[in-house]
Amino acid sequence: MSDQPKISELPIIDAYTHSNDILAKVQQQSADRRMEDYLIVDVDSHIGDAEAWPEVLKFIENDATREAAAFFGGGTGRGAFINNQPGLQMQHVGGRIPHGAALQEKIDDKSVPRVVTLARRAMDSMGLSYQVFFPSALLFLGMHPVREMEVELALAYNRWIVEHVLPHEPRMKAMLYLPFNTPEAAEAMVKRFIGAKGVCGFLVTSTRYQPVHANEYMRVYSMLEEAGMPIGFHAHHNWNNEYTKQLNRFLSMHAISFVLSNLVHMTNWVINGLPERFPKLKVMWIESGLAWVPFLMQRLDHEYLMRVSEAPLLKRLPSEYMQEMFYTVQPMEATNMKLLEGTFEAIKADTQLLYASDWPHWDFDVPSRIYDLPFLNEQSKRNILGGNAAKVFNLEIPERYKSKY
């Protein structure tokens, strides 16, 4: 008999696999590390708005649009008026990687919306005190050819999550979508939903071509600053601009486009002096990783020192303003630990970095990714995993954790 160990196949994960099964190892990792003593806040998770799209459509306030949407998807409304390109969605890698944006696992409990049950499973498995949700289907919406449709779908989504989802689970929070292509509509969205229960900030999807420093956005920024609410720029992939169209692999496009959008918006934000105009506005950069930030810090500092007259509002180096913004870890590039440690130092991660999972997308990161970093001390781990987010979003810290923060 052979002494070789028996090799068994891993169970197949597909769209119907139970969330608890997918995240079973996360629970074991947390138990091994005794992480139940940590406040953990996931500041970037994606809700199943695409799967619940017929429900979302019911909240469209324009009667004509809502009735027209009913004719899509064989009368279900599924996919109505969304501007995505299903044929170019290659995240499945030919079926080998199930993309979790459409969790189809069985749920018997009908007492709460399906997305609430799914969120509870993820929060319980990952040991989360809070989870901040973003849309999935709407991440392309900033490129919609019909501006009015962005406004109508954004409002429907925001109403759906505020009125239909958040009331069922206090651990669920949301940054609401701003229809940024229409500045006056973005202002109206802030006025309408600021202070709504469970709303912890507002979101700009970065896949769009509007310059963030344009004068018509100043009222929105002022409103958010006055209210103490953060604004987040959430990256997404885009294979349709003139640069990314040259890339011939999804891998290449996925690596570059998430960074490119936020890199452009960040540069405009800093060089045009918005940190000086809105010094108390909390600004977050979401789902574009971290490796690009030290590069941009050095690049902008270098150029600024040679051409200070072109950035007259700045009183400090661009990097100093960038060190006062907030960043989410996902997807954290960790192939070179020395570079990662330098990145954490450059962005002042102890106070500015926020844990994010990106669940249920295929490249999600679990809390132990932060806990296991060898260069972090105990307090840094606590800050990044939850303490920093509690301050940014004004979250109540549960009693069991208060002595640690």
Side-chain angles (χ1 to χ4, degrees), residues 130 208 307:
Y130 298 100
R208 63 179 68 242
R307 308 175 71 90

Side-chain angles (χ1 to χ4, degrees), residues 42-47 122 126 131-135 356-360:
D42 178 5
V43 302
D44 181 15
S45 180
H46 291 271
I47 203 161
M126 288 191 276
Q131 194 164 30
V132 180
F133 286 89
F134 297 90
S357 72
D358 193 34
W359 172 262

Side-chain angles (χ1 to χ4, degrees), residues 254-313:
H254 196 267
I256 297 299
S257 63
F258 275 82
V259 176
L260 182 60
S261 58
N262 269 351
L263 188 149
V264 170
H265 297 320
M266 167 79 85
T267 300
N268 275 333
W269 189 277
V270 173
I271 298 303
N272 289 280
L274 294 184
E276 285 290 342
R277 297 187 66 176
F278 305 99
K280 295 182 180 180
L281 178 58
K282 294 179 281 192
V283 182
M284 297 174 56
W285 303 91
I286 304 164
E287 204 176 317
S288 44
L290 300 175
W292 64 282
V293 184
F295 155 75
L296 191 60
M297 285 178 167
Q298 292 192 76
R299 189 69 179 172
L300 292 184
D301 283 358
H302 175 79
E303 295 290 329
Y304 170 73
L305 289 172
M306 294 190 292
R307 308 175 71 90
V308 295
S309 62
E310 293 186 20
L313 292 180

Side-chain angles (χ1 to χ4, degrees), residues 322-396:
M322 292 174 67
Q323 287 174 332
E324 295 173 349
M325 299 180 191
F326 298 93
Y327 305 89
T328 65
V329 301
Q330 212 283 331
M332 187 174 69
E333 306 94 344
T335 53
N336 186 316
M337 203 57 64
K338 288 184 178 180
L339 282 178
L340 183 61
E341 183 176 4
T343 298
F344 272 49
E345 180 181 353
I347 67 175
K348 296 188 175 181
D350 277 5
T351 58
Q352 308 307 119
L353 188 59
L354 313 173
Y355 166 68
S357 72
D358 193 34
W359 172 262
H361 294 166
W362 62 275
D363 54 347
F364 71 94
D365 287 334
V366 299
S368 60
R369 289 272 285 164
I370 296 299
Y371 184 92
D372 290 345
L373 291 175
F375 52 81
L376 291 182
N377 61 35
E378 181 69 14
Q379 191 58 54
S380 296
K381 294 178 183 179
R382 291 190 179 279
N383 290 349
I384 296 168
L385 283 170
N388 293 340
K391 294 177 182 177
V392 171
F393 295 115
N394 301 311
L395 299 174
E396 181 179 355

Side-chain angles (χ1 to χ4, degrees), residues 27-88:
Q27 291 180 301
Q28 187 59 52
Q29 289 170 346
S30 297
D32 292 344
R33 294 159 178 75
R34 298 180 179 177
M35 293 180 66
E36 66 276 1
D37 191 37
Y38 286 74
L39 170 69
I40 303 177
V41 180
D42 178 5
V43 302
D44 181 15
S45 180
H46 291 271
I47 203 161
D49 54 321
E51 187 179 12
W53 199 243
E55 292 180 9
V56 176
L57 294 175
K58 296 175 183 177
F59 291 88
I60 294 177
E61 296 187 353
N62 183 315
D63 294 341
T65 303
R66 187 177 61 253
E67 292 173 9
F71 290 95
F72 283 72
T76 66
R78 190 163 301 282
F81 299 125
I82 297 177
N83 63 311
N84 59 12
Q85 294 181 333
L88 288 178

